[in-house]
């Protein structure tokens, strides 16, 4: 149920905002990866959540391009 809410929020954003969100999520994911190798990460589930969110943003951007 929660993922549907996230998708509706993403679909309501403009393409430029989605691109900005995508950049921010990728930076956060990179930061987490660096933390994993240099120090301790408290929440390892954040990796999969961020990867899923990046994929959802890609999907919504693709929908906006082809509609």
């Amino acid at each position: 149920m929660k993922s549907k809410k996230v998708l509706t929020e993403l679909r309501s954003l403009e393409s430029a905002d989605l691109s900005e969100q995508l950049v921010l999520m990728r930076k956060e994911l990179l930061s987490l990866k660096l933390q994993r190798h240099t120090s301790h990460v408290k929440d390892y589930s954040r990796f999969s959540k961020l990867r899923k969110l990046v994929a959802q943003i890609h999907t919504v951007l693709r929908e906006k391009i082809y509609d």
Side-chain angles (χ1 to χ4, degrees):
M1 188 59 112
K2 188 176 180 184
S3 68
K4 287 185 181 184
K5 182 180 178 185
V6 171
L7 278 175
T8 55
E9 288 177 9
L10 289 175
R11 286 187 176 119
S12 67
L13 296 175
E14 295 293 324
S15 295
D17 295 331
L18 284 171
S19 297
E20 186 178 316
Q21 285 289 327
L22 183 62
V23 169
L24 290 174
M25 293 302 121
R26 283 184 171 173
K27 283 182 181 180
E28 188 175 345
L29 187 58
L30 178 64
S31 173
L32 261 177
K33 287 179 182 180
L34 291 173
Q35 283 179 11
R36 178 177 59 190
H37 290 291
T38 59
S39 64
H40 183 69
V41 178
K42 292 181 182 176
D43 186 15
Y44 280 96
S45 67
R46 187 79 179 132
F47 285 102
S48 61
K49 290 175 186 175
L50 281 173
R51 283 194 304 264
K52 184 177 179 178
L53 187 57
V54 166
Q56 288 174 336
I57 292 172
H58 274 291
T59 301
V60 172
L61 276 171
R62 192 171 295 124
E63 287 174 358
K64 287 187 179 283
I65 290 171
Y66 291 117
D67 278 349

